[in-house]
């Protein structure tokens, strides 16, 4: 039930728009995602999200009781799916596993160097000190992409291009982790020759059948 303070917050919101249901929720998610990419997790505030979405804080808290829940939902809203990241691809039979992995690496790099990457960096930094956040990040974002890469490695095993021992969750984490480390943690640009080095010096030797 709304309190007097809730009502006051709604009235004080900057020029509220008469949106309801899914339209309002999407506007809040979009505003939260924009806020996260610009200021990071530490400076992220529900007040600023409410201003961006042109609604009141009470409208947000009724749907997302905590800042953490709002941030994760905003990331899920703004983060590309595994398909959009290029991790789930309709690989032509003529395409080798090595070439398919190179395309995946380019797709991951594009995403990580976009505004989405800034949002993910903010959340991953918070996850270092928040076990619940770390678990949710893995469940919502990393696990689907891990499974997609495992599918590509399994295809490689069937084609005789990937050694069976390399078809593991740990190996599937290597490529995204190396790209994320350079872009999100070290904040260094990732050029084409960097990707080629990752593939030729690490990823391909790690998985290829002998």
């Amino acid at each position: 039930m709304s309190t007097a303070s809730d009502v006051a917050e709604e009235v004080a919101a900057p020029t509220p728009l008469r949106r309801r249901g899914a339209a309002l929720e999407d506007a809040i998610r979009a505003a939260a995602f924009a806020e996260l990419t610009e200021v990071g997790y530490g400076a992220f505030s529900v007040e600023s999200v409410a201003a961006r979405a042109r609604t009141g804080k009470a409208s947000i808290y009724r749907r997302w009781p905590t800042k953490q829940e709002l941030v994760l939902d905003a990331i899920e809203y703004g983060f590309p799916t595994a398909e959009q990241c290029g991790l789930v691809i309709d690989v032509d039979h003529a395409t080798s596993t090595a070439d398919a992995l190179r395309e995946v690496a380019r797709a991951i790099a594009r995403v990580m160097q976009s505004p989405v990457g800034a949002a993910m960096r903010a959340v991953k930094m918070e996850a270092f000190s928040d076990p619940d956040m770390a678990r949710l990040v893995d469940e919502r974002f990393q696990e689907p992409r891990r499974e997609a890469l495992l599918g590509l490695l399994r295809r490689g095993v069937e084609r005789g291009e990937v050694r069976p021992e390399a078809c593991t969750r740990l190996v599937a984490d290597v490529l995204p982790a190396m790209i994320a480390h350079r872009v999100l943690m070290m904040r260094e640009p990732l050029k084409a020759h960097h990707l080629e080095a990752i593939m030729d010096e690490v990823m391909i030797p790690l998985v290829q059948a002998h």
Side-chain angles (χ1 to χ4, degrees):
M1 182 174 68
S2 296
T3 65
S5 61
D6 291 336
V7 174
E9 287 176 0
E10 290 283 0
V11 172
T15 319
L17 297 179
R18 297 299 179 184
R19 293 168 302 198
R20 293 181 174 84
L24 176 58
E25 291 175 0
D26 282 348
I28 293 169
R29 290 186 185 98
F33 184 77
E35 182 75 7
L36 189 64
T37 61
E38 290 184 17
V39 306
Y41 188 89
F44 181 95
S45 72
V46 173
E47 290 83 357
S48 295
V49 173
R52 283 178 182 268
R54 297 174 66 186
T55 189
K57 288 193 298 180
S59 292
I60 297 176
Y61 281 122
R62 277 196 294 270
R63 294 165 172 83
W64 296 275
T66 67
K67 169 182 170 179
Q68 183 190 72
E69 290 174 290
L70 175 58
V71 165
L72 286 172
D73 209 17
I75 286 287
E76 192 164 23
Y77 173 83
F79 200 75
T81 64
E83 289 84 356
Q84 291 168 331
C85 286
L87 294 180
V88 179
I89 52 179
D90 185 12
V91 183
D92 183 271
H93 183 74
T95 302
S96 68
T97 300
D99 286 342
L101 285 171
R102 287 190 174 91
E103 181 55 37
V104 166
R106 288 190 286 268
I108 294 173
R110 285 194 298 270
V111 171
M112 289 299 178
Q113 295 182 103
S114 73
V116 171
M120 282 305 298
R121 181 182 186 278
V123 172
K124 282 181 176 291
M125 291 299 290
E126 181 65 20
F128 282 134
S129 59
D130 186 336
D132 290 335
M133 175 73 86
R135 175 181 54 79
L136 289 171
V137 167
D138 188 75
E139 288 176 356
R140 291 199 188 189
F141 311 117
Q142 293 173 187
E143 180 62 23
R145 290 152 184 82
R146 182 182 298 122
E147 284 300 316
L149 268 172
L150 274 171
L152 190 56
L153 292 174
R154 293 186 188 108
R155 171 186 179 271
V157 171
E158 293 172 359
R159 292 165 59 92
E161 297 170 340
V162 171
R163 58 188 181 88
E165 299 82 5
C167 195
T168 68
R169 292 165 61 85
L170 182 61
V171 171
D173 280 339
V174 170
L175 182 57
M178 293 193 69
I179 295 173
H181 177 73
R182 185 178 185 93
V183 176
L184 302 185
M185 307 307 296
M186 297 178 67
R187 299 196 186 190
E188 294 182 358
L190 192 63
K191 303 297 185 182
H193 68 276
H194 295 137
L195 281 179
E196 286 300 316
I198 289 172
M199 297 307 300
D200 293 341
E201 297 175 26
V202 180
M203 196 64 197
I204 301 303
L206 177 63
V207 304
Q208 68 182 354
H210 299 293

